Amino acid sequence: MALNNPTPLGPWKITVYDQENFQGKRLEFTSACQNIMECSVDNIRSLKVECGAWAGYEHSSFCGQQFVLERGEYPHWESWSGSNAYHIERMMSFRPICSAQNHKESKMVLFERENFMGRQWEINDDYPSLQAMGWGNNEIGSMQVQSGAWVCYQFPGYRGYQYIMECDRHGGEYKHYREWGSHAQSFQVQSLRRIQQ
Amino acid sequence: MALNNPTPLGPWKITVYDQENFQGKRLEFTSACQNIMECSVDNIRSLKVECGAWAGYEHSSFCGQQFVLERGEYPHWESWSGSNAYHIERMMSFRPICSAQNHKESKMVLFERENFMGRQWEINDDYPSLQAMGWGNNEIGSMQVQSGAWVCYQFPGYRGYQYIMECDRHGGEYKHYREWGSHAQSFQVQSLRRIQQ
């Protein structure tokens, strides 16, 4: 089930519901689900992450908008979607994220231009505003994840589209926004942070 | 204009526009604005934070939903609102936030129950999931900010309603959710982080 996923190192557990506010049909998972409809559920309308970090997706087979899901309670679509431009209100697949065992060991290199070109900056911390920390503009050309898992956001303060970047996928290399996810439409990234277990 | 605000320590600058995508009437501010209508603007529909951190508010006189605004570009309401339950699409007032000179010096104590009672936990870091870090449930009863400025969120991963907490306001004491802001309807807080300059 875990498409291209390395063997999970830690325990993961997520409980999903087909109605808002943790009502309706309830299903527990400890590994990836490629299509919730195969479990006779038409859509996920609330969820609780009980262990680990997960990536949720708008469409089946881990496509469309991405949602980072960390431990806690999400009673409706808006609670995990972030502030996005389109409100499709669907979550059809999800999978565990292998973040760093210790998130302080997470490391990533940002590049000004695509294909790892231009000015570069190695980071190992959370940045609610990349511009406040010295990055010159509101775009990142490409990224190389050297350790752990990261989530990048379109707007400052961890808002807007979420792009999940992992050292265990694509060899950690994200050369162009087309590799950030099928929902990515531009190079715009204004905040980013490490994903913690 | 800066209601109860101490003298700003650093430079602040925000540019607001009355149309989306940085179009229409353009106004620059370096201190608080209590009511944008007094500047002959009916609403703020996009903005750029050029210096410092700011708090934006749904209504005039710093009331209603709160939005933390850090350096960067916000082309429309969804880019600063976060994922909230109601989409009123208004921002009528804003003011500078005095965060810690060095955000690593920020400090806050969380209390399990209101009026600084129950189990307590001193924090000086960002927490995308309080539950993952050992906090027992999805609520915080009260908070005491000892240094810097913080933003608390209803949902994990810095989503949902934003509550801005500052050591320079209320004496840093937030005894009950009624003191977190006029939009607060419950004790639910699942993530929080320091506000950086």
Side-chain angles (χ1 to χ4, degrees):
Chain A
M1 286 279 270
L3 197 72
N4 295 327
N5 226 21
T7 313
L9 291 166
W12 278 268
K13 189 172 164 198
I14 190 170
T15 306
V16 303
Y17 303 80
D18 73 348
Q19 300 301 322
E20 292 192 348
N21 295 311
F22 321 114
Q23 303 293 312
K25 191 165 174 183
R26 172 184 183 279
L27 294 169
E28 284 184 14
F29 293 83
T30 54
S31 62
C33 169
Q34 193 167 349
N35 186 356
I36 196 68
M37 292 180 81
E38 287 171 6
C39 305
S40 304
V41 162
D42 73 321
N43 193 2
I44 296 167
R45 294 192 180 84
S46 56
L47 63 92
K48 292 182 187 182
V49 174
E50 279 153 87
C51 220
W54 296 74
Y57 294 87
E58 179 187 353
H59 300 302
S60 58
S61 300
F62 319 113
C63 291
Q65 283 193 68
Q66 301 169 5
F67 313 113
V68 63
L69 304 169
E70 288 146 313
R71 192 169 154 182
E73 300 183 4
Y74 303 79
H76 46 68
W77 186 83
E78 286 84 6
S79 60
W80 65 74
S81 64
S83 60
N84 287 308
Y86 68 101
H87 287 259
I88 193 95
E89 304 216 3
R90 283 165 63 93
M91 191 174 117
M92 306 304 285
S93 58
F94 50 86
R95 62 172 179 83
I97 297 173
C98 287
S99 51
Q101 287 288 51
N102 175 357
H103 72 275
K104 293 195 193 304
E105 288 161 12
S106 302
K107 201 185 290 184
M108 175 153 77
V109 185
L110 311 181
F111 295 84
E112 194 182 8
R113 292 172 34 219
E114 56 197 74
N115 291 318
F116 314 123
M117 298 194 322
R119 199 163 64 105
Q120 55 180 274
W121 189 21
E122 187 177 294
I123 59 170
N124 56 6
D125 204 351
D126 297 355
Y127 291 92
S129 165
L130 279 169
Q131 287 185 65
M133 295 300 148
W135 190 249
N137 60 37
N138 63 9
E139 294 184 338
I140 293 176
S142 45
M143 290 175 250
Q144 205 164 38
V145 182
Q146 296 179 335
S147 175
W150 297 73
V151 53
C152 301
Y153 297 85
Q154 195 181 3
F155 301 120
Y158 311 124
R159 294 165 173 116
Y161 283 136
Q162 302 163 47
Y163 308 111
I164 297 164
M165 311 287 182
E166 294 151 279
C167 74
D168 295 326
R169 303 201 155 225
H170 301 270
E173 302 201 333
Y174 298 86
K175 285 198 291 282
H176 190 282
Y177 76 77
R178 285 188 297 266
E179 296 177 352
W180 303 355
S182 55
H183 64 313
Q185 293 157 359
S186 80
F187 288 107
Q188 191 173 34
V189 170
Q190 299 193 68
S191 53
L192 55 81
R193 66 181 180 87
R194 299 158 296 180
I195 299 174
Q196 303 183 19
Q197 232 13 312
Chain B
M1 287 281 269
L3 197 73
N4 296 325
N5 226 20
T7 312
L9 291 168
W12 279 268
K13 188 174 165 199
I14 189 169
T15 306
V16 304
Y17 303 80
D18 74 347
Q19 300 301 323
E20 292 192 346
N21 295 310
F22 321 114
Q23 303 293 312
K25 192 166 173 181
R26 172 184 183 279
L27 294 169
E28 285 184 13
F29 293 84
T30 55
S31 63
C33 169
Q34 194 166 351
N35 186 357
I36 195 69
M37 291 180 80
E38 288 171 6
C39 304
S40 303
V41 162
D42 72 322
N43 193 3
I44 296 167
R45 295 191 178 85
S46 55
L47 64 92
K48 292 181 188 183
V49 174
E50 278 152 89
C51 219
W54 295 75
Y57 294 87
E58 178 187 353
H59 300 302
S60 59
S61 299
F62 319 113
C63 292
Q65 283 193 66
Q66 301 169 6
F67 314 112
V68 63
L69 303 169
E70 288 147 314
R71 191 168 155 185
E73 301 183 4
Y74 304 78
H76 47 68
W77 187 83
E78 285 84 5
S79 60
W80 64 75
S81 64
S83 61
N84 287 307
Y86 68 101
H87 288 257
I88 193 93
E89 305 216 2
R90 281 166 64 95
M91 191 174 119
M92 306 304 285
S93 58
F94 50 87
R95 62 171 179 83
I97 297 173
C98 287
S99 51
Q101 287 288 51
N102 175 356
H103 72 275
K104 293 195 192 304
E105 286 161 14
S106 302
K107 203 186 287 185
M108 174 154 78
V109 185
L110 311 182
F111 295 84
E112 192 181 9
R113 290 168 39 213
E114 57 198 74
N115 292 316
F116 313 123
M117 299 195 322
R119 198 162 65 104
Q120 55 180 273
W121 189 23
E122 188 177 294
I123 59 170
N124 57 5
D125 204 351
D126 297 355
Y127 291 93
S129 165
L130 280 168
Q131 287 185 67
M133 296 299 148
W135 190 250
N137 59 37
N138 64 8
E139 294 185 338
I140 294 176
S142 44
M143 290 174 251
Q144 207 164 37
V145 181
Q146 297 180 336
S147 176
W150 296 73
V151 52
C152 302
Y153 297 85
Q154 195 181 2
F155 301 121
Y158 312 124
R159 293 168 175 115
Y161 281 136
Q162 302 163 48
Y163 309 111
I164 297 164
M165 312 285 182
E166 293 151 280
C167 74
D168 296 326
R169 304 204 153 222
H170 301 269
E173 303 203 332
Y174 298 87
K175 286 199 290 283
H176 191 281
Y177 75 77
R178 284 188 297 266
E179 297 178 353
W180 303 355
S182 55
H183 63 312
Q185 293 158 357
S186 80
F187 288 106
Q188 191 172 34
V189 170
Q190 298 194 69
S191 53
L192 56 80
R193 64 181 181 88
R194 300 158 295 180
I195 298 174
Q196 304 183 18
Q197 238 2 322

PDB file of all heavy atoms in Angstrom, chain A residues 29-45:
ATOM      1  N   PHE A  29      -6.220   3.387  10.750  1.00  0.00           N
ATOM      2  CA  PHE A  29      -5.141   2.969   9.849  1.00  0.00           C
ATOM      3  C   PHE A  29      -3.794   3.118  10.555  1.00  0.00           C
ATOM      4  O   PHE A  29      -3.603   4.054  11.334  1.00  0.00           O
ATOM      5  CB  PHE A  29      -5.112   3.841   8.589  1.00  0.00           C
ATOM      6  CG  PHE A  29      -6.311   3.659   7.696  1.00  0.00           C
ATOM      7  CD1 PHE A  29      -7.488   4.343   7.948  1.00  0.00           C
ATOM      8  CD2 PHE A  29      -6.255   2.804   6.613  1.00  0.00           C
ATOM      9  CE1 PHE A  29      -8.592   4.171   7.129  1.00  0.00           C
ATOM     10  CE2 PHE A  29      -7.361   2.630   5.787  1.00  0.00           C
ATOM     11  CZ  PHE A  29      -8.537   3.318   6.050  1.00  0.00           C
ATOM     12  N   THR A  30      -2.877   2.202  10.223  1.00  0.00           N
ATOM     13  CA  THR A  30      -1.501   2.324  10.714  1.00  0.00           C
ATOM     14  C   THR A  30      -0.519   2.371   9.543  1.00  0.00           C
ATOM     15  O   THR A  30       0.692   2.423   9.746  1.00  0.00           O
ATOM     16  CB  THR A  30      -1.127   1.162  11.649  1.00  0.00           C
ATOM     17  OG1 THR A  30      -1.395  -0.057  10.958  1.00  0.00           O
ATOM     18  CG2 THR A  30      -1.946   1.196  12.937  1.00  0.00           C
ATOM     19  N   SER A  31      -1.067   2.348   8.332  1.00  0.00           N
ATOM     20  CA  SER A  31      -0.213   2.518   7.144  1.00  0.00           C
ATOM     21  C   SER A  31      -1.022   3.218   6.062  1.00  0.00           C
ATOM     22  O   SER A  31      -2.182   3.581   6.283  1.00  0.00           O
ATOM     23  CB  SER A  31       0.311   1.168   6.653  1.00  0.00           C
ATOM     24  OG  SER A  31      -0.774   0.357   6.280  1.00  0.00           O
ATOM     25  N   ALA A  32      -0.422   3.395   4.881  1.00  0.00           N
ATOM     26  CA  ALA A  32      -1.025   4.231   3.841  1.00  0.00           C
ATOM     27  C   ALA A  32      -2.357   3.696   3.343  1.00  0.00           C
ATOM     28  O   ALA A  32      -2.611   2.483   3.350  1.00  0.00           O
ATOM     29  CB  ALA A  32      -0.055   4.341   2.672  1.00  0.00           C
ATOM     30  N   CYS A  33      -3.209   4.603   2.906  1.00  0.00           N
ATOM     31  CA  CYS A  33      -4.477   4.271   2.253  1.00  0.00           C
ATOM     32  C   CYS A  33      -4.484   4.998   0.912  1.00  0.00           C
ATOM     33  O   CYS A  33      -4.472   6.221   0.862  1.00  0.00           O
ATOM     34  CB  CYS A  33      -5.653   4.713   3.115  1.00  0.00           C
ATOM     35  SG  CYS A  33      -7.229   4.625   2.247  1.00  0.00           S
ATOM     36  N   GLN A  34      -4.509   4.238  -0.168  1.00  0.00           N
ATOM     37  CA  GLN A  34      -4.373   4.817  -1.498  1.00  0.00           C
ATOM     38  C   GLN A  34      -5.698   5.362  -2.036  1.00  0.00           C
ATOM     39  O   GLN A  34      -5.709   6.232  -2.902  1.00  0.00           O
ATOM     40  CB  GLN A  34      -3.822   3.753  -2.443  1.00  0.00           C
ATOM     41  CG  GLN A  34      -3.345   4.339  -3.755  1.00  0.00           C
ATOM     42  CD  GLN A  34      -2.510   3.346  -4.553  1.00  0.00           C
ATOM     43  OE1 GLN A  34      -2.122   2.293  -4.048  1.00  0.00           O
ATOM     44  NE2 GLN A  34      -2.223   3.682  -5.795  1.00  0.00           N
ATOM     45  N   ASN A  35      -6.806   4.825  -1.530  1.00  0.00           N
ATOM     46  CA  ASN A  35      -8.115   5.281  -1.993  1.00  0.00           C
ATOM     47  C   ASN A  35      -9.175   4.925  -0.958  1.00  0.00           C
ATOM     48  O   ASN A  35      -9.534   3.754  -0.814  1.00  0.00           O
ATOM     49  CB  ASN A  35      -8.454   4.639  -3.345  1.00  0.00           C
ATOM     50  CG  ASN A  35      -9.733   5.206  -3.914  1.00  0.00           C
ATOM     51  OD1 ASN A  35     -10.415   6.021  -3.295  1.00  0.00           O
ATOM     52  ND2 ASN A  35     -10.078   4.758  -5.112  1.00  0.00           N
ATOM     53  N   ILE A  36      -9.671   5.927  -0.257  1.00  0.00           N
ATOM     54  CA  ILE A  36     -10.602   5.666   0.847  1.00  0.00           C
ATOM     55  C   ILE A  36     -11.903   5.034   0.333  1.00  0.00           C
ATOM     56  O   ILE A  36     -12.601   4.341   1.073  1.00  0.00           O
ATOM     57  CB  ILE A  36     -10.853   6.956   1.671  1.00  0.00           C
ATOM     58  CG1 ILE A  36     -11.483   6.652   3.033  1.00  0.00           C
ATOM     59  CG2 ILE A  36     -11.700   7.969   0.888  1.00  0.00           C
ATOM     60  CD1 ILE A  36     -10.594   5.937   3.995  1.00  0.00           C
ATOM     61  N   MET A  37     -12.217   5.205  -0.954  1.00  0.00           N
ATOM     62  CA  MET A  37     -13.440   4.608  -1.506  1.00  0.00           C
ATOM     63  C   MET A  37     -13.375   3.085  -1.518  1.00  0.00           C
ATOM     64  O   MET A  37     -14.403   2.418  -1.493  1.00  0.00           O
ATOM     65  CB  MET A  37     -13.715   5.166  -2.901  1.00  0.00           C
ATOM     66  CG  MET A  37     -14.088   6.651  -2.845  1.00  0.00           C
ATOM     67  SD  MET A  37     -14.434   7.357  -4.462  1.00  0.00           S
ATOM     68  CE  MET A  37     -16.118   6.811  -4.684  1.00  0.00           C
ATOM     69  N   GLU A  38     -12.161   2.552  -1.517  1.00  0.00           N
ATOM     70  CA  GLU A  38     -12.027   1.085  -1.438  1.00  0.00           C
ATOM     71  C   GLU A  38     -12.437   0.557  -0.062  1.00  0.00           C
ATOM     72  O   GLU A  38     -12.602  -0.643   0.119  1.00  0.00           O
ATOM     73  CB  GLU A  38     -10.577   0.676  -1.749  1.00  0.00           C
ATOM     74  CG  GLU A  38     -10.267   0.817  -3.232  1.00  0.00           C
ATOM     75  CD  GLU A  38      -8.791   0.639  -3.561  1.00  0.00           C
ATOM     76  OE1 GLU A  38      -8.005   0.297  -2.657  1.00  0.00           O
ATOM     77  OE2 GLU A  38      -8.440   0.865  -4.742  1.00  0.00           O
ATOM     78  N   CYS A  39     -12.568   1.451   0.895  1.00  0.00           N
ATOM     79  CA  CYS A  39     -13.056   1.077   2.228  1.00  0.00           C
ATOM     80  C   CYS A  39     -14.534   1.444   2.379  1.00  0.00           C
ATOM     81  O   CYS A  39     -15.029   1.591   3.498  1.00  0.00           O
ATOM     82  CB  CYS A  39     -12.251   1.763   3.316  1.00  0.00           C
ATOM     83  SG  CYS A  39     -10.501   1.467   3.206  1.00  0.00           S
ATOM     84  N   SER A  40     -15.208   1.652   1.256  1.00  0.00           N
ATOM     85  CA  SER A  40     -16.644   1.990   1.257  1.00  0.00           C
ATOM     86  C   SER A  40     -16.945   3.290   1.997  1.00  0.00           C
ATOM     87  O   SER A  40     -17.965   3.403   2.676  1.00  0.00           O
ATOM     88  CB  SER A  40     -17.476   0.849   1.860  1.00  0.00           C
ATOM     89  OG  SER A  40     -17.229  -0.336   1.161  1.00  0.00           O
ATOM     90  N   VAL A  41     -16.031   4.250   1.866  1.00  0.00           N
ATOM     91  CA  VAL A  41     -16.233   5.590   2.431  1.00  0.00           C
ATOM     92  C   VAL A  41     -16.114   6.567   1.255  1.00  0.00           C
ATOM     93  O   VAL A  41     -15.164   6.476   0.472  1.00  0.00           O
ATOM     94  CB  VAL A  41     -15.177   5.870   3.523  1.00  0.00           C
ATOM     95  CG1 VAL A  41     -15.061   7.352   3.819  1.00  0.00           C
ATOM     96  CG2 VAL A  41     -15.507   5.099   4.793  1.00  0.00           C
ATOM     97  N   ASP A  42     -17.073   7.476   1.110  1.00  0.00           N
ATOM     98  CA  ASP A  42     -17.059   8.358  -0.075  1.00  0.00           C
ATOM     99  C   ASP A  42     -16.113   9.542   0.083  1.00  0.00           C
ATOM    100  O   ASP A  42     -15.661  10.124  -0.909  1.00  0.00           O
ATOM    101  CB  ASP A  42     -18.479   8.838  -0.419  1.00  0.00           C
ATOM    102  CG  ASP A  42     -18.980   9.877   0.578  1.00  0.00           C
ATOM    103  OD1 ASP A  42     -18.710   9.722   1.795  1.00  0.00           O
ATOM    104  OD2 ASP A  42     -19.641  10.851   0.161  1.00  0.00           O
ATOM    105  N   ASN A  43     -15.801   9.921   1.350  1.00  0.00           N
ATOM    106  CA  ASN A  43     -14.920  11.064   1.596  1.00  0.00           C
ATOM    107  C   ASN A  43     -14.573  11.060   3.082  1.00  0.00           C
ATOM    108  O   ASN A  43     -15.306  10.496   3.896  1.00  0.00           O
ATOM    109  CB  ASN A  43     -15.648  12.370   1.216  1.00  0.00           C
ATOM    110  CG  ASN A  43     -14.715  13.569   1.149  1.00  0.00           C
ATOM    111  OD1 ASN A  43     -13.506  13.468   1.339  1.00  0.00           O
ATOM    112  ND2 ASN A  43     -15.292  14.730   0.873  1.00  0.00           N
ATOM    113  N   ILE A  44     -13.444  11.708   3.432  1.00  0.00           N
ATOM    114  CA  ILE A  44     -13.077  11.860   4.846  1.00  0.00           C
ATOM    115  C   ILE A  44     -13.513  13.255   5.283  1.00  0.00           C
ATOM    116  O   ILE A  44     -13.116  14.243   4.670  1.00  0.00           O
ATOM    117  CB  ILE A  44     -11.563  11.663   5.035  1.00  0.00           C
ATOM    118  CG1 ILE A  44     -11.190  10.224   4.652  1.00  0.00           C
ATOM    119  CG2 ILE A  44     -11.149  11.987   6.466  1.00  0.00           C
ATOM    120  CD1 ILE A  44      -9.694  10.010   4.505  1.00  0.00           C
ATOM    121  N   ARG A  45     -14.334  13.332   6.331  1.00  0.00           N
ATOM    122  CA  ARG A  45     -14.869  14.641   6.747  1.00  0.00           C
ATOM    123  C   ARG A  45     -14.393  15.070   8.139  1.00  0.00           C
ATOM    124  O   ARG A  45     -14.604  16.205   8.547  1.00  0.00           O
ATOM    125  CB  ARG A  45     -16.397  14.633   6.648  1.00  0.00           C
ATOM    126  CG  ARG A  45     -16.866  14.501   5.208  1.00  0.00           C
ATOM    127  CD  ARG A  45     -18.348  14.765   5.004  1.00  0.00           C
ATOM    128  NE  ARG A  45     -18.687  14.618   3.585  1.00  0.00           N
ATOM    129  CZ  ARG A  45     -18.967  13.460   2.970  1.00  0.00           C
ATOM    130  NH1 ARG A  45     -18.950  12.324   3.664  1.00  0.00           N
ATOM    131  NH2 ARG A  45     -19.255  13.425   1.678  1.00  0.00           N
TER     132      ARG A  45
END
